Every structure is written in C-alpha cells, then in structure tokens.
Amino acid sequence: MSGLHPSKPFPEAARDKVNQPQLRANLRKVTHTIREKRLRAVGELPHWEELRLLGEATKDASLANLSDRLLQLEASVKARGGQVHWARDAAEAREIVVRIAQAHQVDELIKVKSITSDEIELNATLQERGIHAIETDLAELIVQLSHDTPSHILVPAIHRNRAEIQALFNRELPGEGGLSDSPAELAGAARRYLRHKFLTTKMAVSGVNFAVAETGTVCVVESEGNGRMCLTLPEVLVSIMGIEKVLERWEDLSVFMELLPRSSTAERMNPYTSFWSGVTPGDGPQEFHLILLDNGRTEVLADATGRQTLRCIRCSACLNVCPVYERTGGHAYGSVYPGPIGAILTPQLLGMQDKNANTLPGASSLCGACFDACPVRINIPQVLIYLRGEVTAEKGVTAEALAMKTVGYAMSSGWRFEGALKLARVGQGPLVKGGEITSLPGLLGGWTQSRDLKTLPPQSFREWWKERERDSE
Amino acid sequence: MQIDLFITCINDAMFPRTGQATVRLLERLGQTVRFNANQTCCGQMHLNTGYRDDALKLIRKFVDDYRDAEVVVMPSGSCAAMVRELYPEAARWGGDHDLLREVEELAPRVYELSEFLVNTLGVDDVGAYYPHRVTYHPTCHAMRVLRVGDAPLKLLRNVRGMTLLELEGSEECCGFGGTFSVKNPDVSAAMLADKTRHILDTGAEVCTAGDNSCLLHIGGGLHRLRSGVGTVHLAEILASTEQEVFA
Ligand code: SF4
C-alpha cells in the first residue's frame, strides 16, 4: 500500500498515465458523470454559498484552537470509557495498532475505509507482524485483492472496469469461480465473503470523518453499510483520525451532513452515518481506542497560508472537477491523496524537501475549478502558487531561477523590455519555419511537441504607439 | 473617462493588434486612453512559477506605474485576475504591509476589457461588424477568478454579421496554465486535444477569447492540426466595423 511518498516526480508519472487510452476513457466517463450530478445536487440548495461559508468558518474556528479541542476530545472520550492515544508520526500510529492487536492475539482484522490508515501504510506493517487486514469497502476490497493501490479518495477503484473485477473475484474469493459480470452477482459474491468476516473477526480498524470534542462522539460516513458492521460487531474497535478532524460542538456536524454528501456522491443525504461514543456495556465493541495522528499536521497548521488545507473533509469534489486528474488518474500523484487536494496536502505533510512530492504543486493549470467545487472553500490555486514559492526557495539557484531573473531584469523597465524584444526578434530567426516555430530547444521542447508557436511580429505594441504619438504631433 | 491601458507583456510582444484594437475600441466609445510606456509585465509568470521576490519587484513596478490612474483596463482576464486577487496575497507573503495597502487601494480600479465595457461603461453593443462564424472560449481566470460572467457573450451577441456558435465543454480549461504547459507538456497537450476537438466540432472559422495566452496555446494546437481555424482576441472582433474588419 503506498502511503504519502510519491516514487516519481509528477510530470514523469503523469506521462506514463496520460497515454493510456482505456484509463483516460474510464476517468473521463466517471468524473463527468459525478460532476454533473454534483452540480444538480448543489443547485437544489439556494443557500449553498452560505453553507460553504459556514463550513469554512466552522472548521477554521476548530483549527484556531486545535490543541484545546483535542484535549477536550480526549477528556470526553475517556469519560465515556474509551482510550485515547497520541501518535506523532506514522510509525507511532502503526505501533499502537499492532500493540492492541497483539494484546488480543488476533491474526485478522477488518477495516472500514480509512485513508488515514493508508497514509500510515498500516496494512503492510500488520502483514509483517502476521496480522491480515481485510478491507470491507467494496472498492477498497477490489483494490486490495488485486494488490493495487486506490486512485481516488472516494472511488478507490475508479480505474478498474467490470471485466477486470469479474476475473479478480473468480480468482480470489474463496468458493467463487463461475461469476458473470453482472454487477448484482459481483456484489453478491463480495457480500457473502464480507458477511463471514464481519461475523467472525474480533477486531476492527476504522477511519474518522468527524469527532466532536464536547461529546466525545466519533463519526464515520459511508454508503455501503460495511462501516456500520465494522463499528458494531467486533469486540475491539480502533479508530484512527488526523487531528484536523475534530469539531467543537455537536451542532457543528449539521453543516457537514449537508455539505459532504452533496459534494462527494451528489446525494441529498448520506446512506449510512454512524456515531459512537466510548463504550456501552453489552452493546457494540467493549474496547474502544482513538488514535490522534499528527504526522506533519502541526507544521501545516503553523503556516498561515497552508493551514486552510486542514479544513478538507475528503469529499473528493476537487478530484472530480480537476482537468489534470481527469487525464492522469490518481496514481500519477503517487500518494494516497491524489488530485488537487493531494497536490497541496501531500507536499505540506512531507515538507518541501521531498523531491518527488515537491513537483505536485506544479500539477495544476490553476484553472480554479477545484476552489469553486470545494465545500469548505479551500483556495487550492492560491495554496498551489504559495507552495511553488516554498519549493523554489528550497531549491535555491537553478537554471530556471536564473532564467526568471533574466526575464525579470528585462521587464524592469519599458525600454529594457523593448530592447529585449528587438533581440528576441533576431534570435528567433533560426527557429522559424514557414512563419511558425515548430520545435523549441531544451526545456521548452515539450511545448512544441503538440503545438506550433507563433513568431514575434515585426512591430510591438509599444513601437506602434510611439509611431502613432509621433504621427499625431 | 481617463483610461490607463495595461497592454500586458504577451500582447505587447506577440499580439500588438490586440492592443491596437483595444485602443481603437475605447476611443470609438468616446474614452480617452493613455499608454504609459514604462509598463512591462504584471509578474504573473514569476509568481505562478514560484519566484516571489522577482514577482514582487514587478508588482511594485505596476503600483508605481499606475498609482495615479483613475481606472486601469487590460485586454486580459488572467493579468487582471493576477492584480485583483493575487497582488494582495503576494504582498502578504512578502510581509510588505505598505505594498499590501497600496495594492488593496489600486486593485478595485483594475478591469479586464469586457467587464469594463459591460459593467462600468454599461455598453453591450459596441457597434462592431465581423462577418464570420465564431465560437467563444471563456478563459478560466476571467470566468472563475474575475467572474466576468456573460459580459463577453453580451458583447459578442451584438456583433453584426457574426454567427456565434456554442462550444461544448466551454468551461473546461484549455490546458495552457503558463509554465504548466512547459513543465507538464503531456497533460497540457491532452487537455488541449479535447479543447481543439470541441472547437473543430462547432464548425467555426475562428475561436475567440479574452486572453491571448490561452489563444496562443489553442492557436498553436489548431495550427499543428492544419485545421484552418484561427484564433482572434475578443478586442479585435469588437474593434472591427463595416468600414474596417480589424483582424
Ligand atoms: S479539498 Fe475541498 S473539494 Fe477537495 S476533498 Fe477536500 S473538502 Fe473536498
């Protein structure tokens, strides 16, 4: 399972993906369908913009006093019989889960979709310690059985088609073999397999969508009901949450119960929303652990511009409207957080020194569709531009930096710019063929692979204006 | 009204006719225009590529060049968006409070051409004539950052002799994105391929937009396809009259 660390720079990974026609077609179809449905669902609410502002303000208020909120959450969870663990990084979080599993001597556990557990690469560590983690979300299960990684935060198997799933289930699911490719039949096979696991497994690991500090309530939002099974049937429940998921009050949830389903699956209401607080004797898991994961988040919080990233409620609306995601798919981003949110979250969590992650802020044409779609108004383009600044500052003097300085110098006054234009008109000579430039040298060569470049005209605007002024005198 | 033009570096260097059209159009509408020849570039390329300090120099220069302007009008949604939305951010990131105060004071007086015509001057019909089949691509920054809405379309619908053709997927980015098209050429080209396909599907002779940077990219793609479909800046269509078809 890949965690946060991209193994390649984005432009390279994207090149591999962009040239796969089947993948492009799958992605285009799905993203466009969800996009249109979302617009309809959002259009139904006349006060959508006010709701977004409220979502933004609610998350910001919680983030402004995050340490207080977390301490309050810890106290209320404990008061209700739960146990709270603080994990500074991925390794600490993994160890906590392993320790709990070992204390109960389990060699198998069930999971309900949790990107946070993928972020810390939990499954691989559990496997090493002889504990098998079973994904119970249908798409996550598909990804797991095919030894693949998710490529979308809500539709993890968006890149797979039905025929692939049919072959996979026939091969991997015990007792199956003759399944047709009918969705009902495939879902039925998964249900048989999962039902058995729900009823026989002692321990579950879940993610967290929201946690309420004042009441100690934890919340998971999902569409298949697998979450409800994981959260109620096992004896031991471990929930892992990024520290930014905490809200102050119970009422705060209401705004997200409207924003989240409409933004993510274009539904008016979410199908399965589970809340639980601590432990209730004789009902549900008798042991509950909440792991509060930092893993770089405090650093993000400390950054005035980058902080807004922590408002994210992982609805995936930004992925579905992003023209870059649509052409590359999630794997190109090399992290469990793909798309526009991944392009800002991953490099911030890892730091700008990560030489692959620091190409992610460049993975955008800055078209702004993500900001318009984001239910908590994260100004993703603004953060992308800001992070590009952080990356170049980290890199120091490069050929690009020198080129930028040179252009900056030429632009430092009107007459210098005019001089530079005159030089460029001479300089372009050797490149011009048939009135256009069809191939540029060096770094700029990628541009002319699929586009011709117009040549500089003989007269610039400023030269024309000068002439006009002269003539009118 | 006394209008200060900001022609933008790309228009100045590569598309002088757009600047000329802007001048002619505004003068035809009875406005007085001024061109401060010290102007160069809004600094967008520097800021967007991550060179904040170099961008700040150009931002300070812009402020110096236009501090006394009544209004600044530019034939570019992207550069207007840079001034209005990103200048304050850049000043904040640079920790320059004096600059922040100045840009916040100046930014509301800065307009993209079509929004200025429709919203400020209150003109929908500029008396243009352009006998061609045209399709319009709304550029991302004009549409999503400046929110020019249907101002360009209002103007285009009143152009005589012209057939305006609807563009499928018009709101999708063309894939230019400044240095994005250089740093991620493959993704950019994939986005461009969809855009040019949609443009060709309209049967238009010309694709227009309010930004020559996007048109440079779209035009480059259309030219590579030997499609015969051209690109023309909105200002050049609006400046055209029965006496003189501008472009
Ligand atoms: S950044 Fe906004 S749109 Fe994207 S997943 Fe997060 S909340 Fe949703």
Side-chain angles (χ1 to χ4, degrees):
Chain A
M1 194 61 72
S2 112
L4 282 176
H5 294 267
S7 61
K8 277 183 187 176
F10 181 81
E12 231 175 84
R15 192 176 319 126
D16 298 344
K17 298 292 171 191
V18 116
N19 298 317
Q20 298 178 16
Q22 183 61 51
L23 176 71
R24 283 248 313 264
N26 290 356
L27 285 166
R28 184 179 167 79
K29 190 156 176 273
V30 182
T31 54
H32 281 248
T33 310
I34 314 182
R35 219 179 270 187
E36 277 150 36
K37 277 171 67 186
R38 187 195 72 92
L39 279 179
R40 272 201 300 276
V42 161
E44 283 177 357
L45 294 186
H47 57 297
W48 182 251
E49 289 309 313
E50 285 87 79
L51 265 181
R52 286 177 78 210
L53 286 163
L54 201 56
E56 173 183 11
T58 310
K59 276 292 235 184
D60 275 352
S62 179
L63 291 170
N65 294 299
L66 189 62
S67 47
D68 292 349
R69 290 292 80 78
L70 290 168
L71 290 172
Q72 193 186 359
L73 176 68
E74 179 182 36
S76 14
V77 169
K78 280 183 174 165
R80 292 179 176 247
Q83 302 177 41
V84 176
H85 312 261
W86 300 75
R88 230 170 330 197
D89 56 20
E92 280 190 13
R94 291 192 298 252
E95 281 316 309
I96 297 165
V97 182
V98 169
R99 232 186 306 123
I100 299 167
Q102 283 171 344
H104 292 275
Q105 297 174 326
V106 301
D107 55 10
E108 194 167 79
L109 56 80
I110 46 177
K111 284 178 66 196
V112 51
K113 194 153 92 178
S114 158
I115 318 174
T116 315
S117 79
D118 292 342
E119 174 187 323
I120 63 172
E121 300 183 53
L122 179 65
N123 288 12
T125 301
L126 289 174
Q127 200 63 49
E128 280 163 26
R129 311 290 180 91
I131 304 158
H132 182 51
I134 298 154
E135 299 292 343
T136 65
D137 172 89
L138 181 55
E140 289 272 2
L141 179 67
I142 292 166
V143 166
Q144 185 179 39
L145 290 176
S146 47
H147 307 286
D148 195 0
T149 54
S151 66
H152 187 284
I153 58 182
L154 209 84
V155 197
I158 192 172
H159 56 293
R160 297 268 166 190
N161 63 31
R162 212 195 297 165
E164 289 175 296
I165 296 165
Q166 177 194 10
L168 179 74
F169 280 9
N170 276 325
R171 194 174 66 234
E172 299 286 335
L173 289 183
E176 309 292 347
L179 296 168
S180 79
D181 73 346
S182 107
E185 218 174 296
L186 294 173
R191 184 177 297 127
R192 281 191 290 280
Y193 171 74
L194 289 172
R195 273 288 145 91
H196 176 70
K197 295 295 175 191
F198 289 137
L199 294 169
T200 54
T201 311
K202 262 174 66 180
M203 175 169 163
V205 171
S206 91
V208 173
N209 285 94
F210 306 99
V212 180
E214 76 173 3
T215 56
T217 311
V218 185
C219 169
V220 158
V221 172
E222 37 97 30
S223 342
E224 293 169 15
N226 58 311
R228 177 157 300 183
M229 302 283 196
C230 289
L231 299 164
T232 50
L233 292 171
E235 292 164 25
V236 183
L237 173 61
V238 180
S239 301
I240 310 171
M241 65 177 259
I243 51 175
E244 79 281 15
K245 297 286 174 72
V246 67
L247 298 173
E248 186 181 359
R249 298 162 312 169
W250 176 251
E251 298 94 86
D252 292 342
L253 280 168
S254 65
V255 57
F256 300 106
M257 290 302 138
E258 287 208 72
L259 285 175
L260 182 56
R262 285 184 201 256
S263 303
S264 56
T265 47
E267 284 163 309
R268 297 186 176 119
M269 199 182 143
N270 189 68
Y272 294 91
T273 306
S274 305
F275 298 104
W276 67 102
S277 313
V279 172
T280 310
D283 183 18
Q286 294 302 295
E287 203 177 300
F288 170 57
H289 300 266
L290 182 62
I291 300 177
L292 303 173
L293 176 73
D294 187 321
N295 210 25
R297 286 162 174 79
T298 347
E299 297 272 331
V300 184
L301 188 70
D303 188 302
T305 303
R307 165 185 294 196
Q308 56 185 307
T309 308
L310 297 180
R311 289 205 291 262
C312 177
I313 55 173
R314 311 279 188 265
C315 71
S316 76
C318 58
L319 277 66
N320 301 327
V321 298
C322 176
V324 175
Y325 179 89
E326 182 191 327
R327 270 65 179 203
T328 64
H331 285 153
Y333 297 78
S335 150
V336 292
Y337 301 113
I341 180 60
I344 59 173
L345 181 59
T346 305
Q348 288 191 87
L349 290 178
L350 291 176
M352 296 306 141
Q353 305 80 12
D354 188 295
K355 69 178 191 331
N356 294 328
N358 74 18
T359 62
L360 288 171
S364 167
S365 64
L366 304 177
C367 79
C370 48
F371 179 28
D372 272 10
C374 179
V376 286
R377 292 173 44 86
I378 300 172
N379 192 333
I380 298 177
Q382 184 198 89
V383 180
L384 286 165
I385 293 170
Y386 170 75
L387 292 177
R388 290 177 187 186
E390 299 293 289
V391 173
T392 52
E394 183 69 37
K395 281 188 181 157
V397 183
T398 59
E400 184 186 273
L402 291 175
M404 287 288 170
K405 279 254 177 306
T406 312
V407 174
Y409 177 73
M411 302 265 187
S412 63
S413 76
W415 63 267
R416 278 204 190 98
F417 185 48
E418 193 174 329
L421 281 180
K422 290 202 168 100
L423 271 178
R425 273 205 290 269
V426 180
Q428 73 179 350
L431 299 170
V432 180
K433 263 192 218 114
E436 303 270 327
I437 297 173
T438 52
S439 157
L440 282 169
L443 279 178
L444 301 172
W447 211 86
T448 42
Q449 261 166 38
S450 41
R451 314 158 190 83
D452 292 335
L453 186 62
K454 227 176 79 68
T455 55
L456 291 171
Q459 191 185 41
S460 67
F461 176 84
R462 64 182 59 240
E463 287 162 338
W464 172 80
W465 180 271
K466 233 195 245 173
E467 213 174 86
R468 183 178 118 121
E469 298 274 272
R470 231 187 353 248
D471 291 350
S472 67
E473 269 164 17
Chain B
M1 201 177 292
Q2 168 72 56
I3 297 168
D4 266 280
L5 295 173
F6 180 71
I7 288 305
T8 89
C9 60
I10 289 190
N11 287 329
D12 189 358
M14 301 196 79
F15 300 91
R17 295 209 306 193
T18 298
Q20 292 160 21
T22 307
V23 172
R24 206 165 305 188
L25 174 63
L26 289 169
E27 286 180 347
R28 195 170 78 213
L29 295 172
Q31 309 298 317
T32 320
V33 294
R34 192 159 70 176
F35 175 72
N36 173 354
N38 195 41
Q39 68 174 257
T40 55
C41 164
C42 68
Q44 182 176 189
M45 178 175 83
H46 287 90
L47 190 74
N48 284 2
T49 315
Y51 296 89
R52 278 185 217 155
D53 294 343
D54 300 301
L56 275 175
K57 286 186 195 142
L58 291 166
I59 294 173
R60 290 193 190 101
K61 175 168 163 38
F62 185 94
V63 171
D64 287 340
D65 290 343
Y66 293 100
R67 186 176 285 115
D68 301 323
E70 190 182 342
V71 289
V72 184
V73 173
M74 48 185 90
S76 162
S78 177
C79 302
M82 167 75 183
V83 176
R84 287 229 297 261
E85 297 297 317
L86 281 166
Y87 272 23
E89 291 310 322
R92 241 173 247 131
W93 297 336
D96 189 336
H97 299 290
D98 293 336
L99 182 65
L100 177 62
R101 205 168 9 82
E102 287 225 69
V103 296
E104 281 183 336
E105 210 266 308
L106 176 58
R109 287 180 278 138
V110 171
Y111 299 95
E112 179 271 338
L113 179 64
S114 73
E115 58 169 1
F116 177 74
L117 293 173
V118 175
N119 303 336
T120 310
L121 293 185
V123 182
D124 288 3
D125 186 344
V126 294
Y129 172 78
Y130 193 76
H132 296 288
R133 292 194 311 275
V134 175
T135 192
Y136 168 71
H137 165 66
T139 61
C140 299
H141 290 174
M143 173 172 60
R144 298 203 186 85
V145 185
L146 295 178
R147 309 262 173 221
V148 301
D150 61 355
L153 286 169
K154 278 186 181 152
L155 293 162
L156 283 171
R157 281 191 203 111
N158 287 318
V159 174
R160 278 167 276 285
M162 195 181 89
T163 315
L164 185 61
L165 298 157
E166 199 170 321
L167 180 64
E168 195 195 321
S170 65
E171 302 206 337
E172 281 175 47
C173 178
C174 70
F176 176 58
T179 44
F180 169 76
S181 62
V182 175
K183 293 190 170 189
N184 286 285
D186 305 273
V187 187
S188 167
M191 290 159 71
L192 176 62
D194 289 331
K195 184 58 74 183
T196 49
R197 182 167 43 80
H198 288 315
I199 291 170
L200 296 181
D201 285 348
T202 63
E205 300 157 70
V206 164
C207 172
T208 190
D211 244 300
N212 271 330
S213 44
C214 309
L215 289 179
L216 177 76
H217 167 79
I218 295 174
L222 289 169
H223 189 270
R224 177 61 58 92
L225 296 172
R226 302 289 173 258
S227 67
V229 177
T231 47
V232 173
H233 192 282
L234 185 66
E236 293 169 43
I237 293 181
L238 299 179
S240 300
T241 60
E242 223 145 334
Q243 287 72 41
E244 184 192 12
V245 169
F246 195 87

